[in-house]
Amino acid sequence: MFNFLFVSFTGMLRRPKPTDSEADLLREQEHFLTSGAPSAASVVRRPDKRRGEAGEGEGLSGENEGSQRDVVTIEDLPDQLPSLTPAPPKKSRFKASRVTFEDEDAGERLDRHDTHISAVLSRIVERDTSSTPISLPAFTGMAFPKVLHRSETSNQVKNLHIFSSTNTFWKIFFLPSIPSSSSLCSVEPAAVSGPRLVSGQGLQGPHSSGETMRIHVENQAKLQAMSQSEILEEQKKLLSQLDPRLVDFVRSCKAQSVPSFPSPSKHPKDKSGTEDPPVQDVSRESGSCSAAVLCQKPQEVEMEGEEEELSAPPPAEDLPVKPQKEWVHMDKLEPEKLEWLRDLPEPRRKGTKKAMQARFDFAGTLIPPTEDLPMHLGLHHHGEEPERAGYSLQELFLLSRSQVIQQRTLSLSTLANILSKARAGEYMSVLKGSVTSTLLDAGLLFLLRFALDDSVEGVMSAAVHALKALLVCAEDEECLDCTFSWFRGLASFPLLPSAQEEEDEEDEGLDESMKETAKEKEERKSDHEVARQDAVKGLLKMKLLPRLRYILEVVRPSPRVVQDVLEILTRIARHSSSSATQVLDCPRLMETVMSEFLPTSWSPSSQSIYGLPLSSAMKLLRVLATSGRHACARLLNSLGASERLSHLLSAEPNELLLEPTESLRITTEAYRLWAVAAGYGQACKLYLDLYPALVTALQSVHRLPPASDPLLPLQLQRFLALLSLLTQVTHTAGCHQDSGGEECPPPPPVSWGHVTGLQTSLMGHLKGFIKNLDDPLQKDGSLTLIPVYLVYLAAYYHQLSRQVLPHSLIFFFHTRSSSVVCNAQAITLGPEITNNLPGLACTGWRNRPGLVAPSSPFPLLTGLGCFYFVVVCWFYTFSVPLDLEIARHASLYHQVALVVLPWLLPGSEYLAHELLSTIVFSKDFISEGHSGGPEAVELGELKLHEETQKDTSPSLQTVGTLLREACVQLPSIRGCFLTHLAHLESSVIVSRDALLGHNPWIKSHLLPELTGPILPSDWPFLPLVSLYEQAGVSDGGGLAVEELPQRALQAVTHCLQWLLLLEVWREEALKVVLPVAKFARLSCVFLCSSDLFLERPVQRLTWGLFRLLTSTKLDSLDLNVPPPGLASFQDLYSALVSQYEAVSFGDRLFGCWVLLPLQRRYSITMRLAVFGEHVGMLRSLGVTLEQLSIPIERFTSPPEDSLPLLRLYFRSLITGTLKRCWCPVLYVAALSHVNSFIFSQDAAAQEVETARHSMLRKIYYLTDEVLLSF
């Protein structure tokens, strides 16, 4: 509650002065009261409307009523009602500075804050409206007086600005200016007739004009008493008190002349030729004139309207167009805007090398910078480059936030077209960088999310279309649909971004119980951080699903928007199982989809797609069902998908009262959804109910339309989906006898006897399609159907073998792929695939070679492979003698297994386990081990030994013996590697159920997250690297063999034996591992323990590997490239040198390992480290040239050109740190480089020449005869 005082003076009372005492004020108050003048100040109490208080009159009546009635009070009742909206309550600006108490009296509080009359007078606001002219309406004969228009008033100047009534205010307070010391203008005294700053408005009474003149005289006397310095000082003080922006504004305005105050530039100069009068003349002028000349630049500020009126219009010939009198609103010219009517400059000429901003038309087509398009296309605008047609991405972003609905819609539609063309790769050859990545970095996700909330349906629809273009790649979806019926086509990888581990500094040093979980960290992140890492997850965090539900349920948009929304939901469901669960859990979303777009009954309608079944809605259900068996069960039972399948598949497609294409699409998706459900062992009761309809559909395969029929591809996809369904039902029926245990799911309603009757019919179909291969018109259709028939027959005979011999071993059947679209490299390729929005990179898959191209033999090969291996399995089970045939190609099988193993992706863990268990470490498939292989190696070594006639320490002649021992230890080697892969046991079980068709045990058809192959390419080094991570990193390589983990020595020995075997007989299998990576992995032998390398079996095997590495791969060993997993090779070498100094004891093997990187062609950093920081190791590095088996020329040639290293060489030689008996190899190398440097005849810099002379002088005083002899 606030009290305001409004005061107006009605008599000529003396104004209070700051020097007045309290007695003076009381005397003036008594004089006012005795004069009997009406009071000009009244206290008005304004009610607080927020508290529901009434006005003055209502307040009085309320008080009277309060005395006549009882008042009921309730304790602890708040004064204000609680807010019903989430908005924060309104707060008073003065409440924070005022503290009150409930039991405090209001009168006491008023007395405390207002204790003196001066407190009231200091807040008096003078206001008088008596001088304001009042215009009364003229008397007319009309019922209502005519409305007074501002243009009809007598004192209004024609064509003034709408705010011209305030011009007087501006003239009063801005016409007076402050003079500068250099320019002071004067005004003639005759031109001044009275005060201009003090007008007297607001003063009333008979003596108002006298009071005004008295004030004017007082002001004039003060100015005359001031000197020039005092005036300048007051000027500075006034400038310091004014807002600098206001001063700059006054100074920047254009000077205009006023009749009563002519501009100084128009004054004639006096006879003396001086333009500016002296300051004394200025002081004699009136107060208003003196104030008017106080400015640094004599300017007069007027309102914008008057300035425009007084400015002369530009000549007509300078305007782009000549205004006509009949043109509307052209009476007031604006030359700046008329400049846009001039002709645009020509576009940039061809041949420019400067990069230009990309511009697009409304269809998303990139406009070349040299193309001159006509204006009527609407692509030219007032942007940064008006001569160029089209819109840049930045301008489209700006346009999308416009207040004009059409502009927002147009910009979003253009962005959608740009994204679609970018996905198709149309900008690859003409634009630098990725359009999608640029838009995402600019905040496209947030722009589209905000646009989805637009109340205008057109803008919302455009935003949905743009979001669909961003998230959904139509060609990826087509590719996945075409491969659905292939072997393991139901399985697919989640479209998750590549995992990026982020180190949280806040969790460093905390216990595991105190650290935040991944879920807590995710919730703590902002929307921007989440969207930057994962676009789909960011949209889910921004509540996209409830908005899409609102659009479908409430807005009920056009058919195109509905299709886009369903495709967006499908893409979200493909993201991950958690995203699919969020789609299912979104309130009323799936219920709306089921009731509106998958109804149980419908009638044909052309107005809307609401109430009609849609294939895109059925596909959404299929993708959701792929995420897990529980999601599939919810769809079938809770949401009524099972009932929809019965209605759609019990009739022929032409009986569904839908368009022919839509009826084929929706029945195809229904079969696929049923196949996914049957893959979990669900919806099998439908098989019994709809068995007649399925048989009828199978019989119609012979009635395929001709090749020229546009419906043929849809018919083929429908038959493929039907065969996929029968394949999954066959797998489920084969597991009937294995179900029903304590830990097993209940047996499915379909048994083996329910599926045996279809095999004969389908076998007949297959024979017919094989015969049709000779017919050119039916060849393509037959090649499309044959692979799926083969997959069905493979599944049938595989399950049949389990019925006949339940415990039989399926041998070769497991050598098959786990997913059709599983190329890890292809997923990361593509012009418009970003890290936070991955895809399958299937752009243009129909027109380029690949596994999923129409001409690809991959589906036929996989079908034949499955069927062939099942047949082999049958022969193997019944002991048919095929051993000779297998033994003939055993080596080939082994090589293929080694090549396939590092390419297997998540979901194929069981296949990797079977390859390792049965083929990779099997003696039967390593024919060299039992066909004279070790002996052949020994003969070659003996021949080499006879040629060299050198007695070396462990040499190549031991490799044959080592290979023979490795072949004997193959079973133990297999056990060693399987032990190190024991952490994959749970994944192996899940993969086994999926690969062997154990449908009731399958939890999800969504494969694990694609983080890379199951096994790394360097998997043969796995036991060695694991031991280093366990012991070498944590303990610094200081543990003895006895202190290492149990059986560590045996694991290292088996690992080295396997590596030796692969290097000699399977060199192709290790070609994927770089030589520098091999050297780095083998260095773990020295780094993981203090004496492991001294063990005899480790010594022998490492010597053999070192000889192989230096004899054949020395030229390809590039140590300048950082090994995979390491920042640089120099870090590894530094650790090796430190370990050598600590624990080597002069071991020759370790010495060879340290010497190898010191060759001349490798980085100088390692040689500087040895001769600078670790010079002490030169005393124990006694490896001879014969033991090193590396030509000495690799250490001495070419001559060293590094002056710091040459000085270190020279210092070590003359000080005796490096001697031939201690370190022969480096002694020869250092001596050779120093000699070449000293006696070089090449011209060199002054510093180099000085170093040579210094070395020669020191050699002159050298006493080492051995060193001098060289």
Side-chain angles (χ1 to χ4, degrees):
M1 179 173 62
F2 308 103
N3 295 330
F4 295 91
L5 299 177
F6 299 96
V7 182
S8 61
F9 285 90
T10 57
M12 294 305 299
L13 297 176
R14 188 177 68 85
R15 293 183 299 175
K17 297 182 178 180
T19 58
D20 290 351
S21 63
E22 183 178 357
D24 296 333
L25 295 176
L26 291 174
R27 192 181 307 107
E28 290 294 329
Q29 180 183 5
E30 184 178 359
H31 174 66
F32 169 77
L33 294 175
T34 56
S35 64
S39 176
S42 60
V43 179
V44 180
R45 179 180 179 274
R46 288 190 175 180
D48 193 345
K49 296 182 179 180
R50 292 173 294 175
R51 296 189 177 185
E53 298 177 355
E56 184 176 356
E58 297 174 4
L60 294 175
S61 62
E63 291 176 1
N64 296 334
E65 278 188 17
S67 60
Q68 303 294 332
R69 62 183 181 182
D70 296 333
V71 179
V72 180
T73 60
I74 302 177
E75 296 182 358
D76 300 332
L77 187 66
D79 296 336
Q80 297 181 355
L81 293 176
S83 176
L84 299 179
T85 61
K90 297 182 179 179
K91 297 181 180 180
S92 172
R93 295 191 309 171
F94 310 101
K95 188 174 183 181
S97 60
R98 186 172 66 249
V99 180
T100 59
F101 301 92
E102 295 181 358
D103 55 349
E104 185 178 6
D105 184 68
E108 295 179 359
R109 186 168 66 252
L110 181 61
D111 293 340
R112 183 170 64 252
H113 291 286
D114 193 9
T115 57
H116 196 269
I117 191 172
S118 61
V120 177
L121 295 177
S122 62
R123 292 195 298 269
I124 291 178
V125 179
E126 300 181 4
R127 190 179 72 175
D128 184 18
T129 59
S130 59
S131 61
T132 304
I134 301 176
S135 300
L136 297 177
F139 292 96
T140 61
M142 302 173 62
F144 294 94
K146 184 180 179 181
V147 178
L148 182 64
H149 196 271
R150 64 174 183 270
S151 60
E152 300 176 3
T153 58
S154 59
N155 59 348
Q156 187 79 21
V157 181
K158 187 177 180 181
N159 293 332
L160 278 182
H161 195 275
I162 187 173
F163 299 109
S164 59
S165 60
T166 60
N167 288 352
T168 307
F169 171 83
W170 288 93
K171 290 179 181 178
I172 290 174
F173 291 100
F174 285 104
L175 282 177
S177 6
I178 303 171
S180 64
S181 58
S182 59
S183 63
L184 293 173
C185 59
S186 64
V187 181
E188 297 181 4
V192 180
S193 59
R196 293 188 178 275
L197 280 180
V198 183
S199 63
Q201 295 182 5
L203 296 179
Q204 294 181 352
H207 306 289
S208 60
S209 58
E211 182 70 15
T212 302
M213 185 57 65
R214 186 180 66 81
I215 295 174
H216 167 61
V217 172
E218 180 182 348
N219 293 337
Q220 187 178 10
K222 287 185 177 181
L223 285 174
Q224 291 176 353
M226 295 174 67
S227 63
Q228 181 182 3
S229 59
E230 292 176 344
I231 293 176
L232 294 177
E233 183 179 356
E234 291 296 328
Q235 169 195 352
K236 294 179 181 179
K237 185 185 299 185
L238 183 59
L239 286 175
S240 63
Q241 295 174 354
L242 292 175
D243 188 356
R245 293 177 297 179
L246 181 60
V247 177
D248 295 340
F249 169 73
V250 173
R251 289 175 176 174
S252 63
C253 291
K254 183 179 179 181
Q256 298 291 339
S257 59
V258 179
S260 59
F261 295 95
S263 175
S265 60
K266 297 181 181 180
H267 291 173
K269 297 182 180 180
D270 55 10
K271 296 179 181 180
S272 62
T274 58
E275 181 179 359
D276 298 330
V279 182
Q280 288 79 2
D281 295 339
V282 179
S283 63
R284 296 190 183 95
E285 302 299 332
S286 65
S288 59
C289 180
S290 301
V293 298
L294 296 177
C295 65
Q296 290 185 0
K297 293 183 180 180
Q299 298 178 351
E300 297 173 353
V301 180
E302 298 182 356
M303 291 299 295
E304 181 181 357
E306 292 184 348
E307 182 180 346
E308 291 176 355
E309 251 184 27
L310 296 175
S311 60
E317 56 271 10
D318 294 343
L319 296 176
V321 294
K322 186 177 181 181
Q324 303 295 329
K325 185 180 297 185
E326 58 272 10
W327 290 0
V328 182
H329 302 304
M330 289 300 290
D331 52 342
K332 185 176 179 180
L333 297 180
E334 297 178 285
E336 310 86 24
K337 297 181 180 179
L338 289 177
E339 287 297 322
W340 290 106
L341 297 178
R342 294 188 183 274
D343 293 337
L344 293 175
E346 296 183 0
R348 183 171 297 178
R349 298 297 181 185
K350 296 182 178 180
T352 179
K353 296 182 180 180
K354 183 180 178 181
M356 303 186 68
Q357 193 175 34
R359 293 188 173 274
F360 307 87
D361 62 8
F362 299 133
T365 305
L366 184 67
I367 301 177
T370 58
E371 187 169 354
D372 190 6
L373 297 178
M375 306 296 176
H376 69 272
L377 297 179
L379 297 175
H380 293 80
H381 54 88
H382 302 170
E384 296 179 354
E385 301 172 317
E387 71 277 7
R388 291 188 57 193
Y391 289 81
S392 65
L393 297 179
Q394 181 180 2
E395 292 166 350
L396 289 173
F397 264 65
L398 183 63
L399 202 63
S400 64
R401 306 306 299 166
S402 170
Q403 294 183 355
V404 182
I405 297 175
Q406 291 83 354
Q407 290 181 348
R408 298 202 302 271
T409 306
L410 187 62
S411 64
L412 292 173
S413 301
T414 306
L415 286 173
N417 296 332
I418 292 173
L419 286 169
S420 300
K421 292 183 180 294
R423 285 277 192 177
E426 295 188 12
Y427 306 137
M428 290 179 58
S429 59
V430 291
L431 289 183
K432 293 182 180 180
S434 170
V435 174
T436 305
S437 178
T438 302
L439 290 173
L440 288 175
D441 293 341
L444 179 64
L445 279 181
F446 297 93
L447 173 67
L448 297 181
R449 182 61 188 90
F450 298 153
L452 285 176
D453 293 335
D454 202 300
S455 58
V456 181
E457 184 176 348
V459 179
M460 178 270 298
S461 301
V464 170
H465 186 53
L467 187 61
K468 179 250 181 184
L470 174 65
L471 297 179
V472 182
C473 181
E475 292 181 297
D476 285 358
E477 293 293 331
E478 291 177 7
C479 181
L480 290 172
D481 292 343
C482 290
T483 59
F484 181 86
S485 300
W486 292 8
F487 176 73
R488 291 286 290 151
L490 274 70
S492 61
F493 285 103
L495 297 181
L496 284 168
S498 56
Q500 299 178 356
E501 297 183 0
E502 298 181 357
E503 297 182 357
D504 197 344
E505 298 180 357
E506 299 179 359
D507 292 344
E508 291 183 0
L510 297 178
D511 296 334
E512 292 296 332
S513 58
M514 300 292 293
K515 292 183 178 180
E516 288 184 334
T517 62
K519 185 177 181 180
E520 292 174 345
K521 291 181 180 179
E522 192 72 25
E523 293 176 352
R524 191 163 51 91
K525 291 180 180 178
S526 63
D527 294 348
H528 172 69
E529 294 174 342
V530 176
R532 184 179 57 188
Q533 298 175 1
D534 192 333
V536 174
K537 191 177 291 186
L539 288 171
L540 293 176
K541 187 176 177 64
M542 289 186 279
K543 307 298 182 184
L544 175 67
L545 295 179
R547 183 59 184 174
L548 295 181
R549 189 271 311 163
Y550 176 84
I551 293 173
L552 292 178
E553 183 182 23
V554 180
V555 179
R556 301 174 72 88
S558 62
R560 179 190 177 187
V561 179
V562 171
Q563 295 285 354
D564 290 345
V565 170
L566 294 176
E567 291 183 21
I568 292 172
L569 293 174
T570 303
R571 174 60 179 84
I572 294 175
R574 289 195 186 277
H575 175 265
S576 62
S577 57
S578 61
S579 300
T581 304
Q582 292 187 52
V583 174
L584 285 172
D585 293 340
C586 182
R588 301 200 311 276
L589 175 59
M590 292 308 300
E591 288 79 359
T592 302
V593 173
M594 299 297 292
S595 61
E596 298 292 348
F597 310 116
L598 288 174
T600 54
S601 60
W602 62 90
S603 58
S605 174
S606 59
Q607 282 76 18
S608 174
I609 60 175
Y610 278 81
L612 295 177
L614 298 179
S615 59
S616 54
M618 186 63 72
K619 181 178 181 178
L620 172 61
L621 299 189
R622 188 246 298 180
V623 176
L624 289 172
T626 306
S627 64
R629 64 181 305 110
H630 297 294
C632 184
R634 288 178 61 181
L635 291 172
L636 293 174
N637 302 323
S638 301
L639 295 174
S642 179
E643 184 180 1
R644 269 73 173 181
L645 292 177
S646 299
H647 283 78
L648 291 171
L649 299 178
S650 59
E652 290 291 330
N654 54 8
E655 300 175 358
L656 294 179
L657 300 179
L658 298 172
E659 294 290 332
T661 56
E662 184 63 20
S663 61
L664 289 174
R665 288 193 180 99
I666 195 169
T667 52
T668 301
E669 289 298 338
Y671 280 130
R672 289 172 179 168
L673 172 60
W674 192 1
V676 172
Y680 299 124
Q682 301 174 359
C684 291
K685 190 175 183 302
L686 279 178
Y687 175 79
L688 304 178
D689 299 337
L690 299 180
Y691 187 81
L694 295 177
V695 173
T696 303
L698 282 176
Q699 292 175 352
S700 63
V701 72
H702 299 291
R703 302 192 299 270
L704 287 174
S708 59
D709 195 332
L711 296 179
L712 178 61
L714 297 177
Q715 289 279 12
L716 291 176
Q717 289 297 323
R718 179 172 175 268
F719 286 124
L720 293 177
L722 174 58
L723 292 173
S724 299
L725 166 64
L726 298 179
T727 302
Q728 296 303 322
V729 172
T730 302
H731 278 303
T732 303
C735 301
H736 181 86
Q737 60 182 3
D738 297 334
S739 304
E742 294 182 359
E743 298 181 358
C744 299
V750 60
S751 62
W752 186 250
H754 294 137
V755 298
T756 54
L758 296 177
Q759 183 268 339
T760 305
S761 173
L762 293 177
M763 181 64 79
H765 293 173
L766 177 60
K767 294 178 180 179
F769 289 126
I770 293 176
K771 293 180 180 179
N772 292 338
L773 292 177
D774 297 333
D775 187 356
L777 298 178
Q778 301 183 12
K779 180 180 178 180
D780 293 338
S782 300
L783 286 175
T784 303
L785 293 172
I786 286 175
V788 188
Y789 276 96
L790 291 174
V791 172
Y792 166 79
L793 291 176
Y796 177 84
Y797 285 112
H798 169 60
Q799 297 296 339
L800 178 61
S801 65
R802 300 182 62 203
Q803 310 303 315
V804 179
L805 297 172
H807 304 290
S808 62
L809 174 63
I810 309 302
F811 186 60
F812 280 106
F813 180 68
H814 308 315
T815 56
R816 55 191 186 183
S817 173
S818 64
S819 178
V820 217
V821 187
C822 60
N823 191 343
Q825 293 182 349
I827 293 181
T828 59
L829 297 178
E832 297 297 332
I833 292 181
T834 60
N835 293 330
N836 60 343
L837 193 61
L840 298 178
C842 293
T843 302
W845 63 278
R846 293 183 181 274
N847 302 320
R848 68 180 184 184
L851 294 180
V852 293
S855 58
S856 172
F858 185 76
L860 182 60
L861 291 177
T862 53
L864 284 173
C866 293
F867 185 71
Y868 170 75
F869 291 136
V870 170
V871 173
V872 171
C873 164
W874 273 87
F875 281 109
Y876 182 83
T877 304
F878 291 104
S879 302
V880 177
L882 291 179
D883 294 341
L884 295 178
E885 193 68 23
I886 294 176
R888 184 182 306 173
H889 304 286
S891 179
L892 177 61
Y893 294 155
H894 192 256
Q895 294 178 23
V896 172
L898 289 174
V899 172
V900 168
L901 192 59
W903 283 92
L904 295 177
L905 299 178
S908 302
E909 290 84 0
Y910 179 69
L911 177 56
H913 179 271
E914 289 298 297
L915 288 176
L916 292 172
S917 302
T918 59
I919 297 180
V920 173
F921 298 104
S922 175
K923 296 180 181 179
D924 299 331
F925 290 92
I926 305 178
S927 58
E928 294 85 352
H930 50 78
S931 60
E935 291 77 8
V937 174
E938 287 179 347
L939 289 175
E941 294 166 356
L942 289 174
K943 183 178 180 181
L944 179 62
H945 178 67
E946 292 176 357
E947 292 177 355
T948 57
Q949 291 296 326
K950 290 181 180 179
D951 187 14
T952 62
S953 68
S955 62
L956 279 172
Q957 66 184 24
T958 63
V959 174
T961 305
L962 295 175
L963 288 174
R964 190 179 295 106
E965 295 174 359
C967 291
V968 175
Q969 295 294 328
L970 278 176
S972 301
I973 296 174
R974 175 181 59 191
C976 173
F977 278 90
L978 290 178
T979 301
H980 281 83
L981 297 175
H983 63 282
L984 297 175
E985 182 180 0
S986 58
S987 301
V988 170
I989 295 174
V990 173
S991 175
R992 180 196 62 188
D993 294 336
L995 285 170
L996 300 183
H998 298 168
N999 290 353
W1001 287 268
I1002 296 177
K1003 295 181 179 180
S1004 175
H1005 291 301
L1006 206 60
L1007 295 172
E1009 182 180 352
L1010 184 58
T1011 56
I1014 301 171
L1015 298 179
S1017 58
D1018 60 347
W1019 68 269
F1021 299 87
L1022 185 60
L1024 190 57
V1025 176
S1026 299
L1027 179 61
Y1028 172 72
E1029 292 176 350
Q1030 293 177 13
V1033 176
S1034 58
D1035 298 304
L1039 296 179
V1041 174
E1042 296 78 9
E1043 299 173 337
L1044 293 177
Q1046 188 178 5
R1047 305 185 68 178
L1049 176 59
Q1050 186 178 2
V1052 172
T1053 303
H1054 291 328
C1055 177
L1056 294 176
Q1057 287 175 335
W1058 179 244
L1059 289 171
L1060 185 66
L1061 188 147
L1062 293 179
E1063 285 287 352
V1064 177
W1065 291 332
R1066 296 291 183 268
E1067 187 178 1
E1068 294 291 331
L1070 288 178
K1071 273 193 173 181
V1072 293
V1073 184
L1074 296 175
V1076 64
K1078 295 179 183 178
F1079 186 86
R1081 270 60 173 171
L1082 289 175
S1083 299
C1084 296
V1085 173
F1086 307 98
L1087 296 176
C1088 63
S1089 174
S1090 61
D1091 56 355
L1092 178 64
F1093 60 92
L1094 298 176
E1095 297 292 331
R1096 179 169 177 77
V1098 176
Q1099 275 263 333
R1100 296 172 62 206
L1101 290 166
T1102 309
W1103 267 116
L1105 290 169
F1106 180 77
R1107 296 296 183 185
L1108 292 175
L1109 187 64
T1110 56
S1111 61
T1112 58
K1113 302 179 178 62
L1114 195 57
D1115 293 332
S1116 59
L1117 182 60
D1118 186 5
L1119 301 184
N1120 297 323
V1121 178
L1126 295 176
S1128 66
F1129 185 82
Q1130 284 76 16
D1131 298 338
L1132 173 65
Y1133 188 74
S1134 178
L1136 276 173
V1137 172
S1138 300
Q1139 184 79 347
Y1140 181 85
E1141 285 184 313
V1143 300
S1144 68
F1145 301 105
D1147 181 68
R1148 298 295 187 266
L1149 174 61
F1150 205 164
C1152 290
W1153 216 264
V1154 172
L1155 284 173
L1156 188 144
L1158 298 180
Q1159 299 176 55
R1160 176 67 179 86
R1161 67 192 185 101
Y1162 296 137
S1163 174
I1164 192 177
T1165 308
M1166 295 178 283
R1167 298 194 292 278
L1168 288 173
V1170 171
F1171 283 90
E1173 304 172 11
H1174 304 278
V1175 69
M1177 65 180 292
L1178 299 176
R1179 189 177 181 87
S1180 60
L1181 202 57
V1183 179
T1184 63
L1185 297 176
E1186 293 79 10
Q1187 292 172 341
L1188 185 60
S1189 71
I1190 298 177
I1192 191 61
E1193 292 78 14
R1194 292 183 176 269
F1195 294 89
T1196 60
S1197 179
E1200 186 63 61
D1201 55 358
S1202 173
L1203 190 57
L1205 182 58
L1206 287 168
R1207 287 171 175 168
L1208 292 176
Y1209 283 162
F1210 185 76
R1211 186 184 67 179
S1212 63
L1213 288 172
I1214 64 174
T1215 58
T1217 307
L1218 180 62
K1219 292 186 178 181
R1220 185 176 184 181
C1221 58
W1222 293 344
C1223 186
V1225 177
L1226 294 183
Y1227 179 84
V1228 174
L1231 192 61
S1232 173
H1233 288 305
V1234 171
N1235 283 336
S1236 300
F1237 173 71
I1238 294 176
F1239 301 106
S1240 175
Q1241 302 299 321
D1242 299 335
Q1246 181 63 33
E1247 183 183 6
V1248 176
E1249 292 294 339
T1250 304
R1252 286 175 180 172
H1253 293 310
S1254 175
M1255 291 182 183
L1256 282 173
R1257 284 194 300 269
K1258 292 178 181 178
I1259 292 175
Y1260 179 77
Y1261 297 103
L1262 191 63
T1263 59
D1264 190 348
E1265 298 296 335
V1266 177
L1267 189 59
L1268 285 173
S1269 63
F1270 286 94

